[in-house]
Amino acid sequence: MTAIASNLGHVKGQLPATVTLVAVSKTHPPETVMEAYDAGQRDFGENRVQEMVAKQAVLPQDIRWHQIGSLQRNKVRQIAPFVHLIHSIDSLRLLEEVDRQAQLNGRVIDVLLQFHIAQEETKQGMSHREVDEVISAARVTGMDGIRIRGVMGMATFTDDEAQVRAEFRALREAFLRLKREHFAADDAFDTVSMGMSGDFVLAVEEGSTMVRVGGAIFGRRG
Ligand SMILES: *Cc1c(COP(=O)(O)O)cnc(C)c1O
């Protein structure tokens, strides 16, 4: 067994079967992604469009590619033909562009609304009010090219477990509120993307349905 297969097994062993594992392969070459693929992994996350497009072209077509990093509107066109889930919707204008490019490709693209839950100023994401505005605007204009599947967030990078737990809990509560207020009749609104190598066990305890794990699978980024 390769180290990557063994790491994957170790991470999966800590996840309930209902939680989706996105293996974050950013900065790792296609051969490394293939090792995880050969061990059965199919969901992979990338944060740079260029890199995702290059890997998608040379790797098996049944891989589900997740866009997890901040996404510029002028790059949406490149991933629209194949991307499986965009985790990083952080403005109405970005969502409008995803909708437009999806329709040009005859697709419906699944998306998550990224919340700002961390203390750090640098982490992207929207406030509760901005999220409500995006949902309302999406309702008014229709947007047949997108399907809002849930929420995503990144906790503060800190050793303070109580703080990380509280941030994850707040994201889960935001998801439940949106479900109640906007998506009660929509079974597809079912995803809470939270948890990375350092905090995915906490995230799952706080209700994550999808974790994004890089280092714990692929080792230190090269
Ligand atoms: C890099 C990255 C991850 C994975 O981080 P690790 O600490 O390597 O597990 C998860 N989510 C986002 C948004 C990332 O950019």
Side-chain angles (χ1 to χ4, degrees):
M1 199 192 281
T2 69
I4 286 173
S6 146
N7 291 345
L8 260 175
H10 184 71
V11 170
K12 279 204 197 138
Q14 296 169 272
L15 296 176
T18 50
V19 173
T20 302
L21 171 61
V22 177
V24 177
S25 48
K26 64 189 185 200
T27 75
H28 297 287
E31 307 80 73
T32 308
V33 178
M34 257 334 269
E35 275 188 52
Y37 181 92
D38 287 338
Q41 182 64 26
R42 291 295 178 272
D43 291 274
F44 290 91
E46 293 284 337
N47 66 343
R48 289 178 57 232
V49 163
Q50 225 97 315
E51 206 179 324
M52 184 191 286
V53 169
K55 287 178 193 170
Q56 193 270 343
V58 298
L59 285 164
Q61 296 300 300
D62 62 340
I63 287 180
R64 294 182 288 267
W65 292 102
H66 295 247
Q67 171 67 30
I68 62 169
S70 67
L71 177 59
Q72 288 173 291
R73 274 179 298 132
N74 63 6
K75 302 227 168 120
V76 172
R77 184 176 50 80
Q78 298 179 56
I79 59 172
F82 65 86
V83 70
H84 175 69
L85 177 63
I86 299 176
H87 293 230
S88 46
I89 298 296
D90 61 2
S91 73
L92 179 59
R93 293 178 77 201
L94 176 60
L95 188 61
E96 285 168 345
E97 179 61 6
V98 173
D99 176 49
R100 201 172 77 83
Q101 293 296 337
Q103 296 199 43
L104 286 173
N105 283 275
R107 300 187 67 207
V108 175
I109 296 181
D110 283 350
V111 301
L112 302 178
L113 303 171
Q114 183 171 357
F115 271 86
H116 178 90
I117 57 170
Q119 294 287 341
E120 294 127 71
E121 280 298 318
T122 50
K123 297 238 159 86
Q124 289 104 6
M126 297 181 279
S127 66
H128 293 265
R129 210 189 66 215
E130 288 170 318
V131 167
D132 283 336
E133 284 167 4
V134 166
I135 292 171
S136 302
R139 281 285 146 79
V140 171
T141 55
M143 292 204 189
D144 295 331
I146 55 114
R147 184 165 66 158
I148 301 177
R149 296 295 308 265
V151 302
M152 180 271 217
M154 284 168 88
T156 304
F157 187 71
T158 171
D159 288 336
D160 184 348
E161 201 179 295
Q163 183 181 344
V164 171
R165 195 182 278 283
E167 290 172 2
F168 285 149
R169 188 167 297 171
L171 183 60
R172 163 84 173 157
E173 275 162 12
F175 168 80
L176 292 174
R177 178 183 69 80
L178 294 177
K179 180 86 187 160
R180 215 167 43 236
E181 294 178 4
H182 303 281
F183 298 95
D186 183 352
D187 289 340
F189 189 82
D190 62 359
T191 303
V192 181
S193 168
M194 60 185 190
M196 311 181 10
S197 292
D199 56 23
F200 73 87
V201 173
L202 275 184
V204 167
E205 285 172 9
E206 294 302 332
S208 173
T209 69
M210 187 175 277
V211 295
R212 311 175 307 270
V213 178
I217 295 169
F218 295 108
R220 296 195 47 157
R221 296 196 272 280

